[in-house]
Amino acid sequence: MLFRSDPEGSANRDYAGTLRKLRGDYTKSFPSVHVAHDVTANVKARLSWSTSFGRPALNNAMPNETANETNQTLTVSNPSLLPQSAVNLDASLEYYFEPVGSLSVSWFRKRIRDYIITGTNVGTVPSGNDNGFNGEYSGFTLLSSSNAGTATVNGWEFAYQQQFTFLPGLLKGLGAALNYTLLEASGNFGGATNRSTGQVPGFIPRTGNATLSWRYRRFSTRVLYNYVGSYITSYNAATPGYSAYRFAYRTVNLGVTWQLRPSVQLTADVSNLFNEPQRTYPTIHVTGTKGKTTTSRLAAAIACAHGLPTGLYTSPHLLSVTERMQVCGEPIAEADFADEYERLLPFLTTVDQRVGQVTYFEAITTLGLLWFADKPVDLAVVEVGMGGTDRKSTRLNSSH
């Protein structure tokens, strides 16, 4: 017996009560003016006015919804988002000196419109089977992204670089470079209050780099120190306490190069030489002989009750491994667990091959901490596993 397929009819029958249409389009032009002037033979001044824009993340164009049963919210994507646009003003003064050196100071100002805000309250899900969600989520608060804000960024950048060819012997191969950037930001996100420096997502108030290099014949080496100050990564308009931050990050990188011939060179680089962790949230680490799970759950519940998105990691589980990790009472969904594992698998494989087999506890704990960072959370409460100091959860840089 043959059956004729009807994919269009099947789609219409399956999604007849959930169809939602959103449209958006835009056309942009980007004029700019740049002026340079030689103040002296060694001093150059530059001034520029320009425009630019940044497109929304592509996942906004995909139909997606995420329900939070605890908070009674439903977050949906917004394919009609406009790009963020900016008007930029830059001015710099550069001084060039012998031998092979420069010193510069720059000032810049950026005015951003149509700033993209996540977690904006866009209404309430109506009741009825034709509410766009097949009758589900009635009364839930609808959250989405919107072009609801403006932001202004002022900043200074200082830079220095030089080759020390005037030094004797092997030291003449030394070189150094320094730069440091300071940002001051403010923004309005559709409310009555402006937010200031450290509260505008995507802008890092303090960054800096320092490089020391040395070259001798075919061999060269370099050491790079990088500093990234603490900053906000996402701002939640509905619940500011759900905004996510990154801690300050300091790394040292090392590189060496051997020039085999003019067209061929061998390079080896070591990133993050001292294994500096990139921290996205503080942790409370609970250990002891009895009552660890109860204490962990109580600490997480208190934090959630005070408006902090809090991750809770406990072990072992009873029915499903997803019980081990949750945010304010909501365990990780099976689909999210699979996505996080897929992201983590290449790194687990590398450790298996180069260091030794990753244990079940190590893999699941790492997955949970990664999920907390992606949510994101403001705090994680982590119960130490059986075995105390032998458990890898003790590698956490705990706050308490």
Side-chain angles (χ1 to χ4, degrees), residues 195 199 201 232-237 239-245 307 309 376-378:
R195 301 180 70 84
Q199 298 174 317
I232 185 171
T233 57
S234 66
Y235 171 70
N236 189 300
T239 310
Y242 279 35
S243 300
Y245 296 82
V377 300
D378 282 349

Side-chain angles (χ1 to χ4, degrees), residues 247 281-285 369 378-382 396-400:
F247 288 85
Y281 50 83
T283 59
I284 297 176
H285 205 194
L369 299 178
D378 282 349
L379 174 69
V381 181
V382 180
L396 289 171
N397 189 352
S398 301
S399 302
H400 297 84

Side-chain angles (χ1 to χ4, degrees), residues 54-312:
R55 292 186 177 93
L58 288 177
N59 57 10
N60 285 286
M62 301 173 61
N64 183 49
E65 58 192 46
T66 303
N68 187 315
E69 299 286 348
T70 302
N71 296 321
Q72 296 285 286
T73 60
L74 183 66
T75 302
V76 297
S77 56
N78 183 4
S80 63
L81 280 174
L82 296 173
Q84 301 175 135
S85 60
V87 176
N88 314 300
L89 184 62
D90 298 84
S92 66
L93 197 62
E94 305 165 359
Y95 171 61
Y96 298 89
F97 55 88
E98 295 292 343
V100 196
S102 68
L103 184 66
S104 67
V105 56
S106 304
W107 173 87
F108 52 90
R109 178 182 178 87
K110 182 186 294 287
R111 177 71 173 173
I112 304 171
R113 296 182 303 173
D114 293 326
Y115 203 84
I116 296 174
I117 309 301
T118 60
T120 303
N121 187 331
V122 294
T124 303
V125 179
S127 58
N129 292 330
D130 59 348
N131 67 353
F133 301 97
N134 202 27
E136 298 184 50
Y137 311 122
S138 175
F140 277 43
T141 299
L142 268 176
L143 303 178
S144 189
S145 299
S146 62
N147 297 105
T150 61
T152 301
V153 181
N154 296 307
W156 291 88
E157 183 174 9
F158 305 91
Y160 158 80
Q161 61 179 358
Q162 185 174 10
Q163 296 295 319
F164 300 107
T165 55
F166 56 88
L167 293 176
L170 296 177
L171 295 179
K172 67 174 58 178
L174 283 172
L178 302 169
N179 67 72
Y180 190 73
T181 303
L182 303 92
L183 295 181
E184 298 292 335
S186 61
N188 180 286
F189 303 99
T193 304
N194 282 346
R195 301 180 70 84
S196 58
T197 300
Q199 298 174 317
V200 181
F203 295 98
I204 306 173
R206 303 289 183 268
T207 58
N209 294 282
T211 303
L212 181 65
S213 61
W214 181 69
R215 178 183 296 274
Y216 179 72
R217 295 183 179 176
R218 297 185 178 184
F219 176 79
S220 63
T221 185
R222 59 206 166 273
V223 178
L224 170 65
Y225 171 80
N226 173 254
Y227 169 77
V228 177
S230 58
Y231 63 99
I232 185 171
T233 57
S234 66
Y235 171 70
N236 189 300
T239 310
Y242 279 35
S243 300
Y245 296 82
R246 285 283 177 92
F247 288 85
Y249 189 50
R250 303 169 181 85
T251 59
V252 176
N253 304 323
L254 175 66
V256 294
T257 300
W258 179 261
Q259 193 78 39
L260 289 176
R261 55 175 64 98
S263 59
V264 179
Q265 66 179 21
L266 300 177
T267 301
D269 291 286
V270 180
S271 298
N272 197 6
L273 186 62
F274 300 112
N275 200 28
E276 171 75 6
Q278 188 167 353
R279 298 177 294 144
T280 59
Y281 50 83
T283 59
I284 297 176
H285 205 194
V286 181
T287 186
T289 54
K290 293 183 178 180
K292 296 189 296 294
T293 300
T294 301
T295 303
S296 299
R297 293 185 181 278
L298 181 61
I302 292 173
C304 290
H306 283 78
L308 284 177
T310 302
L312 173 64

Side-chain angles (χ1 to χ4, degrees), residues 343-361:
R343 289 178 54 200
L344 194 59
L345 184 58
F347 301 98
L348 298 177
T349 302
T350 299
V351 175
D352 279 343
Q353 295 172 346
R354 299 184 181 181
V355 180
Q357 185 173 6
V358 179
T359 66
Y360 176 82
F361 183 85

